Amino acid sequence: NFDLKSSHVLPAMIRKFHDAKNNNHSDVNLWGTGNPMREFLFVDDLANAVVFTLENKLNSHIYNIGTGQDIRISDLAKKIQKIIGHKGKINWDKSKPDGTLRKLMDVSRMKSIGWVYSTDLDVGIEKTYAWFLQNINNYKQIKFNK
């Protein structure tokens, strides 16, 4: 979901940097300070984890699926900006909330049974942006009726 009103951080940034690049590399305004840290998992890795859990006998009922690595939102923004080729400025709107300062999964239980993610964050962003470009005229935009 790349809708600017309802998407999450990574697709929202892809859309903002893409739109700004196509608008003479205009500035991109992002919420908060950029200091919070988040963990990101490529969708294919999640699908692989689900298949892994279905094909293997698990000793527990709850497993965290993730990378076990997080990144500062400001560093994520720079990665996305570079991948998209945006040359403008990033402005942080500190009047907007940061949200939870850190969200990181403990993936040790999945690692102990032999599953780990395989898609590097940069590669995942590149693949997601390529998909976005191929589907720019028909990607899902959620419209909420109020």
Side-chain angles (χ1 to χ4, degrees):
N1 172 19
F2 295 90
D3 183 81
L4 293 177
K5 293 180 182 171
S6 62
S7 63
H8 291 276
V9 64
L10 201 143
M13 283 188 187
I14 287 174
R15 171 83 185 272
K16 284 184 176 192
F17 282 112
H18 173 81
D19 289 353
K21 176 184 170 183
N22 290 336
N23 190 25
N24 273 339
H25 297 276
S26 61
D27 292 355
V28 170
N29 298 314
L30 300 174
W31 278 27
T33 64
N35 289 327
M37 303 198 53
R38 295 292 182 270
E39 175 180 10
F40 296 93
L41 179 70
F42 190 60
V43 66
D44 290 354
D45 289 337
L46 176 59
N48 290 336
V50 170
V51 170
F52 180 90
T53 62
L54 293 171
E55 292 177 342
N56 291 277
K57 182 168 173 45
L58 306 181
N59 295 327
S60 187
H61 295 291
I62 298 175
Y63 290 83
N64 291 328
I65 309 293
T67 64
Q69 300 175 13
D70 54 5
I71 183 172
R72 195 171 306 284
I73 294 295
S74 59
D75 293 332
L76 176 70
K78 291 173 192 170
K79 278 184 179 291
I80 293 172
Q81 180 182 39
K82 181 179 179 183
I83 287 167
I84 290 176
H86 173 258
K87 306 288 186 210
K89 184 179 173 191
I90 300 173
N91 298 315
W92 293 97
D93 184 352
K94 295 177 179 136
S95 71
K96 302 291 188 199
D98 270 336
T100 305
L101 292 181
R102 192 167 192 206
K103 294 182 181 179
L104 179 65
M105 299 293 245
D106 175 359
V107 296
S108 59
R109 192 177 281 175
M110 282 299 286
K111 262 186 173 175
S112 73
I113 61 169
W115 185 89
V116 292
Y117 77 100
S118 62
T119 308
D120 177 75
L121 179 59
D122 288 2
V123 172
I125 294 168
E126 289 167 1
K127 287 181 175 183
T128 302
Y129 186 51
W131 183 93
F132 172 84
L133 291 174
Q134 290 172 347
N135 295 279
I136 199 158
N137 293 319
N138 60 1
Y139 59 81
K140 183 177 180 181
Q141 292 191 38
I142 298 173
K143 301 294 181 196
F144 293 99
N145 296 324
K146 292 188 180 191

